[in-house]
């Protein structure tokens, strides 16, 4: 749920450390009382990402690799593309008003060449079709992948439950 009430959605966190980002966010007024509205944003997930990093002493990329990507055999998934996989990284396009526009020419995109200072759980992960099939297969099997329990069934229930009904 994105119901925390965080304010300005366009805070510039480029080049900021996680602590600098949290300081900047703490000085931003809330847009609404937490829990009363649902707004699509990214601050909630960034804060959660930073919290996971502080608790585990791993950046979010390394943590997710350890507990999710490796057990699911998602070797092409992460917050950056390794140089050996750059040739497989595709461009992406925006299709709007009947027109297709190149948004990012992947082989020249510097955004994905290195691990970002703040790994954001709400976006920025790159993957392959096979890796996504492994992930979604695990979800369809209520947390089980090739006979191994990766997520508890109760966790999968929380992922698929409508948590914003009534807001």
């Amino acid at each position: 749920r994105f119901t925390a009430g965080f304010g300005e959605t366009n805070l510039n966190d480029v080049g900021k450390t996680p602590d600098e980002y949290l300081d900047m966010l703490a000085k931003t007024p809330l847009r609404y009382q937490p829990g009363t509205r649902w707004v699509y944003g990214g601050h909630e997930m960034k804060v959660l990402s930073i919290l996971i990093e502080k608790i585990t002493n791993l950046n979010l990329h390394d943590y997710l690799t350890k507990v999710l990507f490796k057990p699911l055999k998602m070797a092409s998934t992460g917050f950056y593309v390794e140089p050996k996989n750059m040739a497989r990284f595709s461009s992406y396009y925006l299709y709007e008003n009947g027109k297709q526009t190149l948004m990012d020419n992947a082989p020249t995109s510097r955004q994905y060449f290195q691990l970002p200072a703040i790994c954001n759980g709400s976006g920025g992960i790159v993957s392959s079709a096979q890796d996504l099939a492994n992930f979604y297969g695990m979800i369809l099997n209520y947390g089980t992948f090739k006979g191994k329990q990766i997520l508890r069934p109760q966790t999968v229930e929380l992922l698929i439950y409508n948590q914003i009904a009534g807001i």
Side-chain angles (χ1 to χ4, degrees), residues 105-116:
N105 189 3
T108 62
S109 174
R110 301 255 177 236
Q111 177 181 354
Y112 297 102
F113 280 4
Q114 62 187 13
L115 190 64

Side-chain angles (χ1 to χ4, degrees), residues 62-157:
D62 291 342
Y63 176 74
L64 289 176
T65 297
K66 178 181 176 182
V67 301
L68 196 63
F69 303 154
K70 278 190 179 178
L72 290 174
K73 307 214 180 311
M74 297 173 67
S76 297
T77 301
F79 285 93
Y80 71 101
V81 179
E82 295 181 25
K84 68 180 181 178
N85 291 327
M86 223 11 131
R88 296 175 48 220
F89 190 51
S90 67
S91 300
Y92 72 91
Y93 297 83
L94 174 67
Y95 188 78
E96 190 173 63
N97 300 323
K99 184 180 177 193
Q100 180 175 300
T101 306
L102 176 66
M103 298 303 293
D104 188 12
N105 189 3
T108 62
S109 174
R110 301 255 177 236
Q111 177 181 354
Y112 297 102
F113 280 4
Q114 62 187 13
L115 190 64
I118 300 174
C119 294
N120 185 355
S122 69
I125 293 177
V126 292
S127 194
S128 68
Q130 181 59 59
D131 286 4
L132 286 174
N134 290 356
F135 178 79
Y136 291 132
M138 180 267 304
I139 295 296
L140 287 171
N141 287 301
Y142 281 82
T144 301
F145 178 73
K146 295 189 177 186
K148 183 177 179 189
Q149 195 73 45
I150 308 297
L151 296 177
R152 294 181 312 156
Q154 299 90 330
T155 303
V156 176
E157 286 288 339

Side-chain angles (χ1 to χ4, degrees), residues 1 19 21 29 31 36 59 72 82 88 98 106-107 111 117 129 133 155 166:
R1 288 188 202 188
D19 287 337
Y21 171 76
R31 291 170 64 190
T36 61
N59 66 48
L72 290 174
E82 295 181 25
R88 296 175 48 220
Q111 177 181 354
T155 303

